[in-house]
């Protein structure tokens, strides 16, 4: 026998569970992502980035990435603005630092493909800084600074790589 008030009972249970969710209604729960980041060639800018509490990239692209609303928009206009066909890894890194990375994501700093130098948590949205060599920036709350050898893996050589799915 199903009670005539079953619909009301189900609604009451669902409504009582809403406070347990970490996101507001209709908003997807976004999980933390993990990123490998190279602070310049051979990590030459790591100490500066650590002291300033930032991660930053350049690629000599001096345009505020907030003006691009979609991946397609950035990819198409990049070629027009640079009068060249940009490398896919360059375009991807610009998209990732400006749109894909989120506050709370973990950034692991690497040097070459066998050393890690530290890690931190992203603490700001993307911003454009006209001063300095690296205009595309995010604030990072760096948690550690040192040198750790990675002997059982070759880290990717790209400047910025999402490694969230590679749990090993």
């Amino acid at each position: 026998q199903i009670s005539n008030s079953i619909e009301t009972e189900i609604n009451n249970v669902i409504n009582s569970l809403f406070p347990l969710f970490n996101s507001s209604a209709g908003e997807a729960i976004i999980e933390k992502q993990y990123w490998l980041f190279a602070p310049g060639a051979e990590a030459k800018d790591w100490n500066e980035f650590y002291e300033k509490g930032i991660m930053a990239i350049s690629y000599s692209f001096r345009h505020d990435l907030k003006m691009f609303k979609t991946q397609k928009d950035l990819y198409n206009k990049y070629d027009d603005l640079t009068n060249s066909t940009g490398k896919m890894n360059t375009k991807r890194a610009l998209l990732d630092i400006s749109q894909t990375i989120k506050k709370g994501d973990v950034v692991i700093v690497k040097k070459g493909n066998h050393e890690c130098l530290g890690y931190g948590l992203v603490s700001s949205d993307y911003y454009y800084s006209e001063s300095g060599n690296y205009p595309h920036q995010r604030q990072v709350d760096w948690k550690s600074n040192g040198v750790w050898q990675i002997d059982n893996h070759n880290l990717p050589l790209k400047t910025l790589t999402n490694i969230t799915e590679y749990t090993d």
Side-chain angles (χ1 to χ4, degrees):
Q1 281 287 22
I2 298 178
S3 154
N4 289 338
S5 63
I6 189 70
E7 186 175 347
T8 302
E9 291 174 38
I10 290 172
N11 283 333
N12 289 340
V13 169
I14 291 172
N15 287 331
S16 70
L17 294 175
F18 273 125
L20 300 177
F21 290 100
N22 290 332
S23 65
S24 53
E27 203 176 290
I29 296 174
I30 299 172
E31 292 188 27
K32 185 179 298 193
Q33 297 185 90
Y34 295 83
W35 300 86
L36 277 179
F37 169 65
E42 288 301 307
K44 68 180 178 59
D45 298 303
W46 168 232
N47 289 332
E48 176 187 351
F49 289 2
Y50 183 81
E51 288 172 15
K52 290 182 176 179
I54 64 169
M55 66 180 295
I57 59 176
S58 172
Y59 295 119
S60 300
F61 189 72
R62 294 281 179 182
H63 301 279
D64 187 342
L65 297 170
K66 285 186 242 168
M67 67 190 248
F68 306 108
K69 300 303 178 206
T70 64
Q71 175 182 348
K72 185 177 178 181
D73 189 29
L74 170 62
Y75 285 17
N76 290 338
K77 289 183 180 167
Y78 178 94
D79 293 343
D80 294 339
L81 291 168
T82 60
N83 294 318
S84 68
T85 303
K87 295 179 182 174
M88 191 54 69
N89 286 343
T90 299
K91 292 176 182 178
R92 183 76 224 186
L94 290 170
L95 179 74
D96 286 342
I97 198 165
S98 65
Q99 296 182 23
T100 311
I101 292 175
K102 304 293 182 218
K103 290 181 193 175
D105 282 359
V106 176
V107 176
I108 302 165
V109 176
K110 68 183 190 75
K111 178 180 180 183
N113 63 354
H114 289 290
E115 286 182 334
C116 289
L117 303 178
Y119 81 96
L121 302 174
V122 176
S123 59
S124 79
D125 290 327
Y126 163 82
Y127 60 94
Y128 181 75
S129 174
E130 290 190 24
S131 63
N133 295 326
Y134 295 92
H136 310 292
Q137 301 186 9
R138 292 220 179 213
Q139 293 291 312
V140 178
D141 179 15
W142 296 115
K143 300 294 186 185
S144 70
N145 184 1
V147 176
W148 293 269
Q149 293 295 319
I150 307 297
D151 295 325
N152 57 344
H153 285 54
N154 284 329
L155 301 174
L157 293 175
K158 295 178 357 185
T159 299
L160 188 58
T161 306
N162 187 335
I163 60 167
T164 305
E165 66 183 76
Y166 305 106
T167 57
D168 61 332

